Amino acid sequence: MAEDGPLKMADVARLAKVSMSTVSRALADNPLIPEDRRREIQRIAAEAGYVINQSARSLRMRKTQTIGVVFPLGHDVGQLISDPFFIEMFGRLADEITTRGYQVLLCRVTDTSEGWLNRIIQSHRQDGLVIVGQSDQHEALNQAAGSYHPLVVWGGHLNGQTYCSVGTDNIGGARRAVDHLLGLGRKRIAFLGMLELPEISLRYEGYVRALRAAGIEQDPALVIPAHFSFETAYEAARELIESGTEFDAIFATSDIIALAAIQALAAAGMDVPGQVSVVGFDDIAIAAQSTPPLTSVQQDLAKGAKTIVDLLFKRMAGEDAPSATLLPKLVVRKSCGGTSAG
Amino acid sequence: MAEDGPLKMADVARLAKVSMSTVSRALADNPLIPEDRRREIQRIAAEAGYVINQSARSLRMRKTQTIGVVFPLGHDVGQLISDPFFIEMFGRLADEITTRGYQVLLCRVTDTSEGWLNRIIQSHRQDGLVIVGQSDQHEALNQAAGSYHPLVVWGGHLNGQTYCSVGTDNIGGARRAVDHLLGLGRKRIAFLGMLELPEISLRYEGYVRALRAAGIEQDPALVIPAHFSFETAYEAARELIESGTEFDAIFATSDIIALAAIQALAAAGMDVPGQVSVVGFDDIAIAAQSTPPLTSVQQDLAKGAKTIVDLLFKRMAGEDAPSATLLPKLVVRKSCGGTSAG
DNA sequence: CTTGCTTTTGCAATCGATTGCGGTAGCGTT
DNA sequence: AACGCTACCGCAATCGATTGCAAAAGCAAG
């Protein structure tokens, strides 16, 4: 009834007039304790407002019922986890994880000095890890995966990769987007994104392949480094416009970059899709709502998150789950002209 | 060097040829150990890839270096934390918390049965709690606050509230928004939101006061229940439109609701802001990007999050921090016609 | 070589649960 | 009544760190 002092299992044992062992087993629904007694003890514990101390439990059981979700920000100094894509991914992951009765621990990594991943792993704060985005930490991930199994990465599938990853077919997605632009008669297609990031570099590969297949020579002046934040992307687009380089389409490697580019174009008095077609990547919620609505390569995050967590739990159970690739879908809207469905 | 077996403090002690006590103190930078020896032990530990087991540490120290962030979803069956407002708040809170060297544990509460908050508190998984949104749990919060101090709530300031809360002046914000609409000559202003939620009910209070001050009689037919999700809000707006009730403005209690309303109006062939002025609440990032750009009551989330965490840490230190109220700002854009700054 | 003081060090208890294993109670047979 | 068998129960060790307290070591002065 009264619940001022945080009461321990021993207190419940006293109340129920049994030993701690029995209480522990009863609360764990261990059939070693007869059913009616189990219920009785559970009732007493609940009534007393008793809750198992998770720190003690974690120590003894060597598991925490917690999954760590890590956002390596090594490549970007901006601290805030603000990108809508990451945010949505996080929400979906959280859903999948909590549904399975686990807690979600957010690990925002800013200090990617030697051994950062090992420090997280060895802290034993979580039973498994999801790493969202490889950032520039491919090597560190490869190394950690050698000895730590319950780890799944969202990102591109790279050469010589030993860790388990889930991600969209970046090359294929990009290829499809650029093919679509080419199909509309566009020939001078700018590429906006940070080639240093593995996923982006794969998208670049798709871009190059599409151009090559169409027999179009690629122009380095059309490849523009652009970070993920709206402001920096806007700046990058503005510079492209002011450089005087001719272009009639933009393949942006994220929707945020695409939206920033559209705004920059509008500010420069250029019509989208009249003069310039724009395609984004991710198909975040705003994409459909923007003006004009954005054509984008859709990543199925719901499925992605589910796959990640499925694989993670398999690995936590000792099974050896392989990487998975999701198929992207081009969602055609007004931002690139034309009207065919993709 | 080799780091296959998860090594413990005892192992490091052996390596450094000292006792565990000394290692523990050295790693904690305890001045009881001479500086040079401290450094030496730290070096040895780091080289061996040793990391303190947090479960054990938490148990012994009775603190976890973790803050729980709770989203009570009692009022809404939709599981996903998808509302951009909550998402942004979460990101900012995470920033503030990690900056202070604490971890963030996400608690998505779906089971708000008797004692849910107590179960979280007594689990001892965290050293402090941030509750984002009161949902319909005012009573539970009030009760918990009696015995549990390190707890801060984002939400409205209610009568008879004993817990510490941080929130925007909802009444004032709503008042300003509606006054603005009235100033534009609008007289039939619809209110879209869930009155069951404390914050929304405060905004309703502001709405009522504004109307009363302007000598306009309020019409119950103009008060429409609308959830936070885009789809349900769209539906609510559509029903308002189809009901035939006359109206020339909408005060939406969130930007998502406002955006949904604008789409519904557009679908019905009604011009915004020509026929109907729309004002939202929160001023989320998309608000400025929508068509037409949305007038909205801005909540300063960066400041809000900082205030919440500041207060929480004060409370964790045993001080008694009082509730705080933030001043909202009306950001005027095209969605309500007119051009004056608010 | 003592003595007295300061600086370091380590023993052992502790945090609050879980669980292997040995012991007891209860019941049915002979 | 004695025995055997199951079904329950609880003792005590354990998880891996932290820390009060006492002991040891170092050092200077007498």
Side-chain angles (χ1 to χ4, degrees):
Chain A
M1 233 18 86
E3 39 171 292
D4 31 24
L7 65 177
K8 324 189 286 181
M9 193 174 275
D11 301 323
V12 177
R14 206 167 306 126
L15 284 175
K17 298 191 205 312
V18 292
S19 74
M20 261 177 66
S21 322
T22 303
V23 175
S24 175
R25 286 193 258 255
L27 295 183
D29 252 336
N30 187 326
L32 221 53
I33 310 294
E35 171 124 10
D36 47 351
R37 179 174 288 251
R38 246 183 287 162
R39 299 244 176 288
E40 174 66 4
I41 294 178
Q42 287 166 4
R43 192 185 57 69
I44 292 177
E47 222 157 66
Y50 170 74
V51 180
I52 292 180
N53 180 318
Q54 291 299 333
S55 294
R57 179 169 222 269
S58 299
L59 174 59
R60 178 61 225 242
M61 314 236 337
R62 296 153 147 282
K63 48 181 233 153
T64 57
Q65 290 280 323
T66 300
I67 302 298
V69 178
V70 184
F71 291 82
L73 299 172
H75 57 289
D76 229 331
V77 197
Q79 317 89 312
L80 191 62
I81 300 174
S82 55
D83 189 280
F85 173 80
F86 283 125
I87 288 300
E88 187 181 343
M89 180 56 104
F90 182 73
R92 305 236 176 235
L93 285 171
D95 276 351
E96 292 292 338
I97 292 168
T98 52
T99 299
R100 288 169 172 78
Y102 275 66
Q103 303 282 313
V104 180
L105 186 69
L106 172 66
C107 305
R108 221 200 39 178
V109 175
T110 51
D111 164 30
T112 47
S113 62
E114 178 70 21
W116 66 272
L117 188 49
N118 186 56
R119 277 197 293 280
I120 291 179
I121 293 172
Q122 299 299 335
S123 76
H124 288 270
R125 246 191 260 258
Q126 67 287 315
D127 300 340
L129 280 178
V130 175
I131 317 273
V132 183
Q134 286 141 321
S135 181
D136 48 9
Q137 300 293 321
H138 177 62
E139 215 21 79
L141 291 169
N142 244 349
Q143 197 171 325
S147 54
Y148 187 71
H149 259 66
L151 180 153
V152 177
V153 177
W154 168 265
H157 193 72
L158 308 178
N159 286 338
Q161 165 180 326
T162 59
Y163 50 88
C164 172
S165 73
V166 174
T168 297
D169 173 8
N170 286 292
I171 298 182
R175 174 81 197 256
R176 208 163 306 177
V178 178
D179 277 346
H180 181 74
L181 290 172
L182 291 167
L184 294 169
R186 303 304 189 176
K187 302 235 188 288
R188 303 270 310 158
I189 304 174
F191 177 97
L192 268 64
M194 291 265 294
L195 290 178
E196 290 80 358
L197 301 181
E199 288 189 85
I200 304 306
S201 124
L202 289 170
R203 290 173 200 172
Y204 178 68
E205 177 66 23
Y207 164 80
V208 169
R209 288 193 197 172
L211 291 186
R212 195 177 299 146
I216 293 185
E217 197 181 345
Q218 53 173 305
D219 179 355
L222 288 174
V223 179
I224 315 290
H227 282 256
F228 280 128
S229 81
F230 190 91
E231 291 75 16
T232 57
Y234 185 91
E235 210 45 42
R238 203 176 53 74
E239 279 172 26
L240 167 65
I241 295 167
E242 290 183 357
S243 73
T245 309
E246 245 182 89
F247 63 97
D248 54 16
I250 288 179
F251 170 47
T253 52
S254 91
D255 285 349
I256 292 297
I257 296 177
L259 294 174
I262 289 179
Q263 291 233 334
L265 289 166
M270 299 171 78
D271 184 46
V272 176
Q275 286 173 265
V276 179
S277 294
V278 178
V279 177
F281 209 107
D282 294 343
D283 192 30
I284 58 179
I286 329 176
Q289 317 288 332
S290 74
T291 314
L294 186 65
T295 294
S296 188
V297 179
Q298 184 176 73
Q299 307 205 57
D300 187 344
L301 292 201
K303 191 169 167 195
K306 181 168 179 349
T307 306
I308 289 174
V309 179
D310 278 346
L311 293 181
L312 181 60
F313 274 77
K314 265 203 189 128
R315 298 192 134 244
M316 281 164 46
E319 298 173 52
D320 194 30
S323 294
T325 298
L326 305 177
L327 294 182
K329 192 175 95 179
L330 184 67
V331 179
V332 178
R333 301 200 185 86
K334 299 221 181 92
S335 71
C336 56
T339 48
S340 64
Chain B
M1 221 42 68
E3 40 172 294
D4 31 24
L7 65 180
K8 325 189 285 183
M9 191 174 277
D11 300 323
V12 177
R14 207 167 306 125
L15 283 174
K17 301 191 203 310
V18 292
S19 74
M20 260 178 66
S21 324
T22 303
V23 174
S24 175
R25 285 193 260 254
L27 294 183
D29 253 336
N30 187 325
L32 222 52
I33 310 295
E35 172 124 8
D36 47 352
R37 180 171 287 253
R38 244 184 287 162
R39 299 246 177 288
E40 174 67 4
I41 294 178
Q42 286 167 7
R43 193 185 55 72
I44 291 176
E47 225 158 63
Y50 170 74
V51 181
I52 293 179
N53 180 317
Q54 292 298 333
S55 294
R57 181 170 220 269
S58 298
L59 173 59
R60 176 61 224 240
M61 312 242 327
R62 296 154 146 282
K63 47 180 233 156
T64 57
Q65 290 281 321
T66 299
I67 301 299
V69 177
V70 183
F71 292 81
L73 298 172
H75 57 288
D76 227 331
V77 195
Q79 317 91 309
L80 193 62
I81 301 173
S82 55
D83 190 280
F85 173 81
F86 283 123
I87 288 297
E88 185 180 345
M89 180 55 105
F90 181 72
R92 305 230 176 240
L93 285 170
D95 276 351
E96 292 291 338
I97 291 168
T98 52
T99 298
R100 288 169 172 79
Y102 275 66
Q103 303 283 314
V104 180
L105 186 70
L106 172 66
C107 306
R108 222 199 38 177
V109 176
T110 51
D111 164 30
T112 48
S113 61
E114 177 72 22
W116 65 273
L117 188 48
N118 186 55
R119 277 197 293 281
I120 291 178
I121 292 172
Q122 299 297 336
S123 77
H124 288 272
R125 245 192 261 258
Q126 68 287 313
D127 300 340
L129 279 177
V130 175
I131 317 273
V132 183
Q134 286 140 322
S135 181
D136 48 8
Q137 299 295 320
H138 176 64
E139 216 20 80
L141 290 169
N142 243 350
Q143 196 170 325
S147 53
Y148 187 71
H149 260 68
L151 181 153
V152 177
V153 177
W154 168 267
H157 194 74
L158 308 178
N159 286 338
Q161 166 181 324
T162 59
Y163 50 88
C164 171
S165 73
V166 174
T168 297
D169 173 7
N170 286 293
I171 298 181
R175 174 81 196 256
R176 208 163 308 174
V178 179
D179 276 346
H180 182 74
L181 290 171
L182 292 166
L184 294 170
R186 304 302 190 176
K187 302 234 186 294
R188 303 272 308 160
I189 304 174
F191 176 98
L192 267 65
M194 292 266 293
L195 291 176
E196 291 80 359
L197 300 181
E199 289 189 82
I200 304 306
S201 124
L202 290 169
R203 290 173 201 174
Y204 178 70
E205 176 67 22
Y207 164 82
V208 170
R209 287 194 197 170
L211 292 184
R212 195 177 300 145
I216 294 183
E217 196 180 344
Q218 55 173 305
D219 179 355
L222 288 174
V223 178
I224 315 291
H227 283 256
F228 280 128
S229 81
F230 190 92
E231 291 74 17
T232 57
Y234 185 92
E235 211 44 42
R238 203 177 53 76
E239 278 172 26
L240 167 64
I241 295 167
E242 291 184 356
S243 73
T245 310
E246 243 182 274
F247 64 96
D248 54 15
I250 289 179
F251 171 48
T253 52
S254 91
D255 285 349
I256 292 297
I257 297 177
L259 293 175
I262 289 179
Q263 291 232 334
L265 289 167
M270 299 173 75
D271 184 49
V272 176
Q275 285 174 266
V276 179
S277 294
V278 177
V279 177
F281 210 107
D282 294 343
D283 193 29
I284 58 180
I286 329 177
Q289 317 288 332
S290 75
T291 313
L294 186 64
T295 293
S296 187
V297 180
Q298 182 176 75
Q299 307 204 58
D300 187 346
L301 292 201
K303 191 169 167 192
K306 181 168 177 354
T307 307
I308 289 173
V309 179
D310 277 346
L311 293 181
L312 180 60
F313 274 78
K314 266 203 188 127
R315 296 190 138 244
M316 280 164 47
E319 297 174 52
D320 194 28
S323 294
T325 298
L326 304 177
L327 294 182
K329 193 176 93 179
L330 184 69
V331 178
V332 178
R333 301 201 185 87
K334 298 220 181 91
S335 72
C336 59
T339 50
S340 65

